[in-house]
Structures are given as structure tokens and as C-alpha cells.
Amino acid sequence: ENLAAPQLRNTIVVWSDTSTSVEKVGKLSAVGGKINHFPSIDLICRKVPLAVNINRMKKLLPREYNKLMPTTFTDYNDFRQYKQSLIQPTHRKTPPKKYFIVKPNNGCMGKGIYITPNPQPEAFSHAVVQEYIDRPLLIEGRKFDMRCYVLVLSVCPPRIFFYNDGLVRLCSEPYQPITDDNQGKQCMHLTNYSVNKYHDQFEAATLEGSAGGKRDFAFLTRWLEESGRDATMFWGSVKHLVVKTILSVAPSIATSYRTACKSREDGFTCFELLGFDILVNDHLEPSLCEVNHSPSLVTDTPFDAKLKLGVLEETMRLVGLPSKVPNVLAPSCKTNAAPNEVLQTLLGLHGVKRKNVKKRIGNGYRCKSLLRPTTKQVPQTRC
């Protein structure tokens, strides 16, 4: 990208699918623009730095962070010591066999992920090794995870918003306890949509979000309540997980931001739309899998289009762009739209020339602030 100042004088927002640098943010800040990434956000959006950071916080604040993320290793020597600690001569019973997920540091969409009870030393050179959650909460007998959308408007001071809808992604195959025989069945143990959508048993999501391989948070809340679980407490624990993850790196990100924005210290040059992937165990405890700094905006079903356009619309509103949305989904965003088409359509809806706008998409504002607002003025919403 060429972010030379003369080309940015009329720029409002720069939206990039790749991470940004201190230099790029500094150039944009100088002309009063905004960009959709913070410098140093890779501290939580790359698997190895995320694991290193959370492991550090577990040592500093074990009570707050021990259960935030499954036990994760980036160094083979640490992993070997952990394995040896499980086999103590004082143990009367043989400990249950543990399995681990190997995740490439820069991987996405399930590429390169595999499960094994014995990760080899070479795996640690390019990946993290994470303990497998062998007792997941099941919906209709299937393992699932959640994609939560989180907007960070500022890190100094922190302003974090949690979008009150998201994806519940189910595996295509019914879950069975992991063994050597079924550890290779990805559609039983991995919740990645890009993996499961090719399975024979995969069901497309309905527009209402209450059936199929993808569902919404309203369905999950109803399901929790109908099964006698405390949905309010659960969602509170999910939001605490999000806040703790971001706050663990907020000082480092704030330092990078201040370095970039010396001439414009209002704290609002950058914003970040994050996708938190979270698993849930059978005790209703959420565990962080990973954080995505460019969550997928592909809309290959009407359900995806409705949800993701709502996320983007709310993001633009909170960032400060004038909101103008038609009363129907744009045809190019109904199905099979590429991410840039979704963005182009949404950004076009914010143009001042568009008229006769009567109502917005979806169910209105569903974004809630997770931290106390600052004195900085932002667009009035029902958050």
C-alpha cells in the first residue's frame, strides 16, 4: 500500500485485510484518517504470540487467566516437561491419554491443523501445540464453537464493544470421545466451517439462524435456557474472556499507537474488528481458541449476508461514519459475494448522495460496550 499523504487528504477510512505498521498509521493520522487495524495487534492475532502472551499472564495472574485458554505450548522442552509431569511415580492410576492440536502459526480456515497424542519436535518450529478439550459441550450431539465479533475503538483508554450476535458453528459428524481410531476425523473434532462445509452430512444455515451447520446467538441462548443452563452467566464469562485477552496486550498496543500518532493524540485513528473463536466445555466454561484480525466476510448464504452486513454496519456507525442503509439486502450481497463486494456495498451505502433510506438491516443495534465509555464523543447508539 502507498499511504503517501497527498493521496490520503480526502480519505476517511482505510480498510485493509492485512496488518498495519507504525509508519502507515502515522501517515494516515497526519491527514486525519482512520484505519481498521492497530499496530502490534498481531500480539493476539498470531497463534504463537497469543500463546506466549497468555502463558505469561497465567504466571502473573493465575486466578484470572488459568482457564482462559487451553494449555498451549510453543517450545518443545516445555511440552516435554509437561508430559513428564503427567507420569509421576506417586500416581496409582495411569493418567488418561491426552491429545493435542497442532496449529500453524499463520494458518487459517483449518489448513495444516491435525490432532496427535505425540507432537514431534519439528512441529514447534512453525506451530503451537494446544491441549485438546476432550469434554466439549454438545448441541444435538455435535461439537461446536462460537465466532464472536468484537470492535476495539481505542486502546488508550480501552473502548471495547461486543456484538450481540455471531456464529455458532457445528461439526458435521456426531461427536465421539477422541481415540487413535477417530483422531483423523476432522469433521468430528474440528469446528472450522471451511472444513465441515464439504462433508456429506453438512446442512446449510437457514435465514433465521436456528438450524443447519451455522446458527446465531439467539438460538444458542434459547438452547441454553431450555436445557436448564444459566445463559446470562455464560455470556458474562464470554465477555470477560474477551476483555482479559485484549487488556493483556493493551499496554504494548498503546505504546505502538502513541509512537505512530504523535501529532494526533485523540486515540481514535485506529479501530479493530476482531473475530474471537471460542470453545465451550461441558461445564459451560468458555475457552479461547484464537483471535482473527480480519474475520471472514464471505457471504455464501443469506444468513451470512444478514449477519455480517449487520456487523459491518454497526462497526461503521461506531467508527463515526454517517449511517445510511436500504431496507433490503443489496443483490450482490445475498449469496456468494466476495468479502470486498460486501465492503464495497456497505461503504457505498454511507455515501452522502444516497437518498430515501427508510430502515436498517437486521434487528437494530445489538452492540454493547464492555468498558465504561470515555469522554470522547461517538455517534449516539442504543449500545
Side-chain angles (χ1 to χ4, degrees):
E1 299 174 36
N2 184 2
L3 296 183
Q7 295 175 301
L8 292 176
R9 286 172 183 162
N10 297 320
T11 297
I12 299 175
V13 172
V14 172
W15 189 287
S16 172
D17 287 335
T18 58
S19 56
T20 191
S21 65
V22 169
E23 292 75 20
K24 290 179 181 179
V25 173
K27 291 178 181 179
L28 190 59
S29 173
V31 295
K34 297 178 183 289
I35 189 167
N36 69 317
H37 293 303
F38 283 92
S40 301
I41 196 66
D42 284 353
L43 290 173
I44 58 172
C45 294
R46 290 283 184 266
K47 297 178 181 63
V48 170
L50 173 63
V52 170
N53 177 66
I54 297 301
N55 288 340
R56 174 179 60 86
M57 296 304 297
K58 286 182 177 182
K59 294 179 181 178
L60 292 173
L61 299 170
R63 186 174 180 179
E64 298 293 332
Y65 282 87
N66 270 349
K67 292 185 178 181
L68 186 139
M69 186 176 182
T71 304
T72 308
F73 302 92
T74 60
D75 181 77
Y76 179 70
N77 290 329
D78 293 340
F79 174 74
R80 185 174 60 181
Q81 292 176 9
Y82 172 75
K83 290 278 285 187
Q84 290 175 347
S85 70
L86 299 177
I87 309 174
Q88 297 292 341
T90 55
H91 289 169
R92 296 182 180 180
K93 295 182 179 180
T94 302
K97 190 172 185 178
K98 287 186 175 292
Y99 290 82
F100 301 87
I101 301 182
V102 180
K103 303 178 179 180
N105 182 45
N106 297 325
C108 62
M109 298 187 295
K111 296 176 182 177
I113 297 178
Y114 62 93
I115 302 174
T116 176
N118 298 302
Q120 298 303 304
E122 55 269 18
F124 293 82
S125 63
H126 61 276
V128 297
V129 175
Q130 190 172 83
E131 188 172 344
Y132 179 82
I133 297 177
D134 58 358
R135 298 187 63 180
L137 185 65
L138 305 179
I139 293 179
E140 299 172 4
R142 288 171 165 79
K143 183 179 177 180
F144 72 94
D145 77 345
M146 304 185 302
R147 164 62 59 87
C148 303
Y149 296 98
V150 175
L151 176 64
V152 181
L153 281 185
S154 169
V155 292
C156 47
R159 274 181 70 85
I160 305 170
F161 291 81
F162 184 94
Y163 193 68
N164 282 352
D165 202 356
L167 297 172
V168 179
R169 302 176 296 195
L170 280 70
C171 287
S172 296
E173 294 187 45
Y175 180 78
Q176 296 177 4
I178 189 166
T179 64
D180 289 345
D181 294 331
N182 68 24
Q183 70 181 37
K185 293 186 176 181
Q186 291 190 327
C187 293
M188 178 185 293
H189 300 295
L190 301 183
T191 53
N192 304 73
Y193 168 71
S194 56
V195 172
N196 283 275
K197 67 180 180 179
Y198 297 109
H199 194 274
D200 293 341
Q201 298 181 35
F202 178 78
E203 298 179 11
T206 61
L207 180 61
E208 295 77 18
S210 58
K214 282 184 181 180
R215 307 184 190 185
D216 61 16
F217 284 178
F219 163 81
L220 181 58
T221 299
R222 290 195 304 271
W223 182 83
L224 290 171
E225 292 172 346
E226 291 171 359
S227 60
R229 297 177 171 90
D230 191 336
T232 301
M233 183 183 69
F234 169 72
W235 287 116
S237 63
V238 170
K239 294 172 184 178
H240 283 146
L241 180 153
V242 167
V243 171
K244 290 175 185 176
T245 302
I246 296 173
L247 291 184
S248 69
V249 296
S252 298
I253 296 176
T255 298
S256 297
Y257 180 85
R258 291 192 184 100
T259 300
C261 301
K262 295 177 182 178
S263 62
R264 187 169 179 265
E265 281 288 349
D266 68 350
F268 285 85
T269 295
C270 299
F271 64 96
E272 192 85 38
L273 176 61
L274 297 169
F276 276 72
D277 291 345
I278 297 173
L279 280 171
V280 187
N281 66 18
D282 60 357
H283 294 298
L284 211 61
E285 296 172 333
S287 293
L288 177 65
C289 291
E290 61 185 61
V291 184
N292 300 272
H293 79 287
S294 292
S296 172
L297 299 176
V298 174
T299 56
D300 52 3
T301 68
F303 168 71
D304 285 285
K306 181 179 73 171
L307 173 64
K308 294 175 183 179
L309 278 172
V311 171
L312 289 170
E313 161 64 12
E314 195 74 33
T315 297
M316 296 303 175
R317 187 183 297 274
L318 289 169
V319 165
L321 292 179
S323 177
K324 294 186 177 183
V325 180
N327 58 357
V328 294
L329 289 173
S332 63
C333 290
K334 287 187 176 181
T335 58
N336 298 321
N340 62 331
E341 292 181 287
V342 177
L343 280 170
Q344 289 171 3
T345 299
L346 183 68
L347 291 172
L349 302 180
H350 289 271
V352 295
K353 294 182 180 180
R354 184 172 289 272
K355 299 179 181 180
N356 300 324
V357 178
K358 297 183 179 180
K359 67 178 182 178
R360 59 167 276 117
I361 298 173
N363 300 320
Y365 305 108
R366 294 164 290 172
C367 188
K368 287 190 177 180
S369 175
L370 299 186
L371 295 176
R372 180 178 295 177
T374 68
T375 56
K376 174 72 178 180
Q377 294 297 317
V378 296
Q380 183 176 2
T381 69
R382 287 179 279 171
C383 291

